[in-house]
Amino acid sequence: MENEISGKTRLAGLYALPARHSFSPMMHTTSFKETGVDAVYLSFDVPPKRLGESIQAVRDLEMLGINLSMPHKMEAIKYVDELSQAARLIGAINTIVNHDGKLIGHNTDGIGCMESLKQNGIDIIGKRMTILGAGGAATAIITQAAIDGVKAIDVFNIKDEFYQKIKPKLAEIAEETNCQIQLHDLAKEQQLSNALATSSLLINATRIGMAPKTDQMPLSEALLRKDLPVFDVIYHPGETKLLTAAKAIGATAVNGLDMLLYQGAAAFKLWTGKEMPVALIQPLLEKEIKK
């Protein structure tokens, strides 16, 4: 369906710095047209000092809402009226929904990961998983997995200054969701080996595997096995060295492209109440990434 810009056309957008490289305008404006929603989506370079007034503009301009990316995901929390459970536990938001002037902060990154796992035939609910990394993407995945009913999560991160900071956050998530969450030193290979032996999924949420570390893996290839699915949040390159190794032994190997797609689909539904036409958007997204 082709929509014409009218006096009733609503606006949604991305606030980030930089924002112009984003795939979101293509994803959402195409989806608005396809589903008959009279709206457009634009990217805005928003410097940190302008974030508060830019979020106020969501109310003033009666926008459907916005997405947020770096460096605004944590700072934006102070400017919204309410947070979803996941957003509160994560401590960061990537989506704001405008409900008649009341701004609700959500984090759809974890939703995107969980939906991607489901679409790729990976059932982790009620089971144990291991995740490498404890940064923003990892925390979002851990939180949503715990909310959705994953039984236990072993988190492995390098023992840097961030390691101690994430401990209380993981404890808070574990307490509220009744998920068993343990933090380990990524350098302790025996602990990693033990965790993987009882895991039904391995997730890489580190940057190891993307440029300039495309020739590296975040763990020893010997720790992989055929019946251990591997999910890598990285989508460029489309197949990291980790995923190549997993495929070579016959394991299910999934990159982060569907996570990107489904986090966007979750935001789209929050704004419109409609399902994103993912069958249409997915090949367009793949084409954009290859450019």
Side-chain angles (χ1 to χ4, degrees):
M1 178 182 290
E2 288 295 328
N3 286 9
E4 299 293 336
I5 298 292
S6 74
K8 296 180 181 179
T9 301
R10 302 283 298 280
L11 177 64
L14 170 69
Y15 290 178
L17 194 68
R20 306 300 183 189
H21 65 286
S22 175
F23 304 122
S24 295
M26 178 277 293
M27 290 172 62
H28 289 290
T29 297
T30 303
S31 296
F32 289 148
K33 288 180 179 179
E34 183 69 13
T35 58
V37 176
D38 189 2
V40 294
Y41 185 110
L42 301 174
S43 291
F44 299 96
D45 282 333
V46 176
K49 66 181 180 180
R50 299 289 189 187
L51 181 61
E53 61 196 75
S54 297
I55 290 177
Q56 178 58 37
V58 177
R59 296 187 182 92
D60 296 341
L61 302 179
E62 298 182 0
M63 296 172 69
L64 289 175
I66 56 167
N67 287 132
L68 296 143
S69 192
M70 297 302 292
H72 303 313
K73 289 186 176 184
M74 297 173 69
E75 186 68 14
I77 283 179
K78 67 173 69 171
Y79 300 110
V80 299
D81 302 306
E82 190 176 306
L83 294 172
S84 69
Q85 180 190 19
R88 176 174 51 78
L89 285 172
I90 295 164
I93 58 177
N94 73 343
T95 302
I96 294 176
V97 182
N98 183 7
H99 287 291
D100 298 320
K102 182 179 182 180
L103 302 185
I104 315 298
H106 296 262
N107 194 310
T108 66
D109 286 333
I111 295 171
C113 176
M114 297 302 289
E115 183 62 25
S116 175
L117 294 175
K118 180 180 176 183
Q119 294 296 326
N120 285 281
I122 300 171
D123 179 16
I124 191 61
I125 305 305
K127 300 174 184 177
R128 188 179 204 101
M129 73 181 217
T130 296
I131 185 165
L132 310 181
T139 303
I141 293 168
I142 291 163
T143 301
Q144 196 63 50
I147 289 171
D148 288 356
V150 171
K151 180 182 178 182
I153 305 172
D154 286 296
V155 183
F156 285 82
N157 197 72
I158 56 173
K159 209 161 189 180
D160 54 10
E161 58 180 30
F162 181 73
Y163 187 91
Q164 295 302 326
K165 291 180 181 178
I166 198 65
K167 268 187 175 180
K169 172 62 66 179
L170 295 178
E172 179 188 1
I173 298 166
E175 183 176 2
E176 183 163 325
T177 61
N178 293 316
C179 178
Q180 302 165 30
I181 304 176
Q182 292 184 307
L183 179 63
H184 311 277
D185 183 357
L186 184 55
K188 300 288 181 64
E189 188 165 307
Q190 189 55 54
Q191 285 189 2
L192 179 56
S193 177
N194 293 342
L196 290 173
T198 57
S199 287
S200 298
L201 172 67
L202 167 64
I203 294 180
N204 175 43
T206 75
R207 293 179 177 272
I208 299 173
M210 64 189 301
K213 300 178 179 179
T214 54
D215 62 338
Q216 296 181 27
M217 286 176 57
L219 79 173
S220 169
E221 191 173 336
L223 296 176
L224 302 176
R225 64 177 195 273
K226 185 177 181 179
D227 65 339
L228 179 67
V230 178
F231 178 89
D232 199 326
V233 300
I234 296 168
Y235 57 83
H236 189 69
E239 186 170 299
T240 60
K241 191 173 181 182
L242 172 63
L243 294 182
T244 299
K247 279 186 175 181
I249 60 170
T252 299
V254 180
N255 71 15
L257 185 63
D258 282 353
M259 178 175 168
L260 177 66
L261 173 66
Y262 288 112
Q263 65 79 27
F268 184 83
K269 188 168 185 178
L270 286 168
W271 294 328
T272 67
K274 297 188 177 187
E275 299 290 340
M276 177 179 276
V278 292
L280 171 67
I281 301 302
Q282 190 168 30
L284 296 178
L285 189 56
E286 290 172 353
K287 184 179 178 181
E288 285 293 315
I289 287 170
K290 289 176 182 176
K291 283 183 179 179

